[in-house]
């Protein structure tokens, strides 16, 4: 899916992610946590990548393969150094108003990686093991 | 997002309903707390029982609320957090920052 760089679009991201996760038989807790990770990645792409209200788009790609759900969130921003981000759990940062999005993403997903394109743009790749093979989920639907 | 406000003695109870997320509800919570403080309120209890979702921006608003309330010499408590909100507050260690209650009577009694 592709969304505009507007925070309103995150409602659509929520709906699509939650629907897909339920279809894949994630339990309620995992649906809540994984969809929040997707929201955080998309919100970062808007806020820190493209800039809110800008003309650039945010791309969100869901791929299911080998019992893993892979989610890629791409923006056209100038990127950042993940190693240089302040630790939101450090005592001096605990009461800062921002800086917790990536912590939530890493807490809720099995893997989170950042890649920066030569021509500009950041791709956040997150992976989560699916509770059952998508083929099984399809069969369940057909058998109902 | 809608925020209802009610009063119990000198305690103002704010109840945000819906999402406290980026661009949607985060500013509303900030404005509500500011209004309470500006009108002389010094004891604020946020009832999060009807808050369906909170992202990192929503958490940031809670942190900002804590800072604002403390600066103004007021007190802030939270109550009725869902399992998922407690989880998010736990991951971010913000659960150590707030006085959190599951019961309104206990929360009310905790104010000095």
């Amino acid at each position: 899916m592709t969304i505009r760089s507007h925070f309103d679009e995150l409602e659509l991201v929520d709906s699509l992610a939650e629907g897909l996760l339920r279809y894949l038989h994630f339990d309620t807790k995992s649906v809540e946590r994984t969809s929040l990770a997707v929201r955080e990645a998309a919100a970062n792409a808007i806020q820190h990548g493209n800039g809110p209200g800008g003309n650039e788009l945010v791309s969100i790609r869901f791929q299911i393969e080998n019992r893993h759900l892979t989610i890629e969130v791409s923006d056209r921003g100038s990127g950042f150094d993940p190693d240089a981000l302040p630790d939101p759990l450090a005592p001096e940062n605990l009461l800062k108003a921002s800086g917790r999005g990536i912590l939530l993403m890493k807490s809720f997903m099995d893997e989170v990686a950042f890649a920066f394109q030569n021509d500009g743009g950041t791709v956040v790749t997150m992976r989560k093991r699916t509770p059952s093979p998508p083929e099984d989920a399809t069969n369940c639907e057909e058998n109902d | 997002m809608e925020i209802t406000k009610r009063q119990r003695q000198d305690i103002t109870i704010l109840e945000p309903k819906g999402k406290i997320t980026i661009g949607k509800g985060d500013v509303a919570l900030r404005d509500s707390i500011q209004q309470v403080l500006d009108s002389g309120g010094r004891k604020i209890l946020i009832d999060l029982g009807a808050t369906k979702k909170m992202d990192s921006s929503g958490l940031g608003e809670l942190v900002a609320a804590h800072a604002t309330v403390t600066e103004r010499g007021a007190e802030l408590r939270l109550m009725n957090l869902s399992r998922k909100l407690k989880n998010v507050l736990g991951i971010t260690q913000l659960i150590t920052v707030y006085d959190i209650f599951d019961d309104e009577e206990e929360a009310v009694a905790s104010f000095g």
Side-chain angles (χ1 to χ4, degrees), chain A:
Chain A
M1 72 185 294
T2 303
I3 60 168
R4 298 175 305 142
S5 292
H6 292 260
F7 295 127
D8 285 350
E9 303 276 280
L10 295 173
E11 302 310 308
L12 180 60
V13 176
D14 270 349
S15 297
L16 187 77
E18 288 173 9
L20 176 64
L21 292 162
R22 285 197 193 96
Y23 176 78
L24 293 174
H25 297 261
F26 280 87
D27 62 25
T28 301
K29 195 184 289 183
S30 296
V31 170
E32 292 166 359
R33 294 176 181 185
T34 306
S35 65
L36 186 55
V38 177
R39 164 182 268 273
E40 293 291 344
N44 278 349
I46 293 171
Q47 186 165 32
H48 304 296
N50 294 344
N55 293 325
E56 298 287 0
L57 300 174
V58 175
S59 166
I60 304 166
R61 186 163 169 265
F62 299 89
Q63 183 177 4
I64 304 151
E65 194 173 42
N66 296 330
R67 299 197 65 175
H68 278 85
L69 171 63
T70 302
I71 303 154
E72 284 184 2
V73 179
S74 310
D75 64 53
R76 300 297 304 161
S78 54
F80 62 99
D81 180 358
D83 296 328
L85 295 174
D87 175 7
L89 301 181
E92 66 271 21
N93 297 325
L94 198 58
L95 293 179
K96 286 189 176 170
S98 61
R100 299 178 179 85
I102 290 176
L103 169 65
L104 293 178
M105 290 156 55
K106 288 181 173 174
S107 298
F108 293 152
M109 303 300 288
D110 297 336
E111 294 172 35
V112 178
F114 301 92
F116 305 98
Q117 312 298 304
N118 291 333
D119 60 344
T122 299
V123 181
V124 181
T125 303
M126 303 185 289
R127 277 164 58 87
K128 183 93 173 172
R129 187 174 173 84
T130 55
S132 60
E135 293 79 15
D136 289 353
T138 306
N139 289 338
C140 286
E141 290 289 314
E142 288 172 350
N143 291 339
D144 280 344

Side-chain angles (χ1 to χ4, degrees), chain B residues 4 14 16-17 19 21 38 41 43 53 59-60 66 68 72 74 80 82 88-89 97:
Chain B
T4 59
L14 298 174
K17 295 178 179 173
K19 296 181 177 182
T21 54
D38 290 346
K43 297 175 182 177
K53 180 171 274 191
L59 291 174
H66 177 267
T68 303
R72 300 278 289 264
N80 288 335
S82 65
V88 166
L89 283 174
V97 171

